[in-house]
Amino acid sequence: MYFTNNKLHKYEREMKIVPGFGEREPWEGKRKCSDCRNNDFSIRVCAKCDCPYLARKMESYSSVTTDQLLTVFLRSISYSQFHKRLNNVLRHFKGNKLYISADHLKLFRHACIMSKVSKRNYNMIASMYVLTMYPDMWSEMVLARNGFFYQRNTKNKKEKAIIRFANDLFNGKQKIDLSGISDTRRFDDEEFICFCNALLILRFGAAAVKYRMADEVPDREMLRIDLD
């Protein structure tokens, strides 16, 4: 039945259209975020439409802050101890916390350059980000095939939790042990936020902490990383 000559004509036209045909995602065909119609919206909107260029927006836009990234991408983690601490932190934390200190930023950049890690090796980048938070520990780390190893024996539970978390990131474990880093007795809020940054790096790369990396291919041999 056709309705061409009456007020139902518009419904007939819609019925002839293949559902979804001709529709485009807002990011399709856009070479930069400023060309996208979602450009002025928050990172939450970009994530909701499954934009594949989220890292690009994180890296380039100062309006994308650490607290936004934690809220949008990490609140879905169901592990109760981590979830409770994250919510407590977000009640008072706003803005950016990209590195634990200026020394952390310096060591992290140095580690990325000296190791010649590929910017697509999110596992290793996240692991190094965690370990370079602690200069004394980092100076004693050796990189091997299965992760980083401490050159001196330690019975310190805080150090053990740091190394375990870093190596879970390095090895790409499906279930990362979040119990140690969620412990309020061992890690303050600034440390916890940086651990959260490492989880974001695991998903989005160094763009999560606004570090722009060159596209380098790493050497196949494993390296011992020494710092002056």
Side-chain angles (χ1 to χ4, degrees):
M1 184 175 180
Y2 292 94
F3 316 114
T4 305
N5 295 322
N6 62 36
K7 64 182 181 180
L8 297 178
H9 171 65
K10 66 176 182 179
Y11 298 111
E12 176 194 21
R13 185 169 62 250
E14 290 177 2
M15 290 167 62
K16 291 180 179 180
I17 298 173
V18 177
F21 182 78
E23 293 182 6
R24 295 170 64 88
E25 297 290 350
W27 42 262
E28 284 189 75
K30 306 298 188 294
R31 300 187 64 180
K32 50 187 178 180
C33 289
S34 58
D35 295 333
C36 179
R37 68 172 180 262
N38 286 342
N39 177 54
D40 294 328
F41 293 98
S42 71
I43 194 75
R44 182 188 296 276
V45 174
C46 301
K48 191 173 181 179
C49 72
D50 295 321
C51 176
Y53 305 114
L54 290 171
R56 183 172 68 186
K57 187 164 185 175
M58 292 176 193
E59 182 181 78
S60 304
Y61 285 74
S62 59
S63 59
V64 180
T65 56
T66 304
D67 67 301
Q68 291 176 6
L69 298 182
L70 302 189
T71 300
V72 173
F73 298 108
L74 297 188
R75 264 190 165 161
S76 59
I77 294 177
S78 59
Y79 177 64
S80 60
Q81 190 177 351
F82 178 90
H83 187 77
K84 181 179 178 180
R85 181 154 197 199
L86 179 62
N87 285 335
N88 287 337
V89 167
L90 288 173
R91 287 192 183 99
H92 61 79
F93 169 65
K94 300 297 178 186
N96 278 317
K97 182 64 181 177
L98 303 178
Y99 301 92
I100 199 72
S101 65
D103 285 340
H104 180 204
L105 170 58
K106 181 179 177 181
L107 283 173
F108 175 62
R109 285 179 172 175
H110 185 270
C112 289
I113 293 168
M114 296 303 294
S115 66
K116 299 182 180 179
V117 62
S118 167
K119 69 178 183 181
R120 295 178 179 83
N121 189 348
Y122 296 171
N123 298 72
M124 184 170 173
I125 295 168
S127 181
M128 293 194 301
Y129 174 87
V130 169
L131 294 173
T132 52
M133 289 169 61
Y134 306 94
D136 291 341
M137 287 184 64
W138 177 244
S139 66
E140 297 291 334
M141 285 292 161
V142 176
L143 177 59
R145 190 168 299 279
N146 296 321
F148 288 91
F149 293 86
Y150 210 11
Q151 286 194 103
R152 64 171 184 258
N153 292 326
T154 180
K155 295 182 179 179
N156 186 300
K157 291 184 178 179
K158 178 173 181 175
E159 291 181 341
K160 287 184 175 180
I162 294 165
I163 296 168
R164 181 168 59 250
F165 178 61
N167 282 326
D168 280 357
L169 297 171
F170 182 91
N171 291 305
K173 283 195 173 182
Q174 287 188 340
K175 291 188 177 181
I176 295 172
D177 186 352
L178 300 176
S179 60
I181 64 165
S182 303
D183 193 335
T184 56
R185 297 168 298 177
R186 296 197 176 99
F187 301 103
D188 62 30
D189 285 352
E190 289 192 344
E191 289 175 292
F192 177 75
I193 291 168
C194 286
F195 292 144
C196 290
N197 287 342
L199 294 173
L200 292 170
I201 292 171
L202 193 64
R203 181 171 175 181
F204 300 107
V209 289
K210 300 191 183 301
Y211 177 53
R212 190 184 298 273
M213 294 182 65
D215 188 10
E216 296 178 341
V217 178
D219 294 338
R220 294 182 64 85
E221 63 180 5
M222 289 300 174
L223 302 173
R224 159 76 185 279
I225 302 174
D226 290 317
L227 298 176
D228 296 331

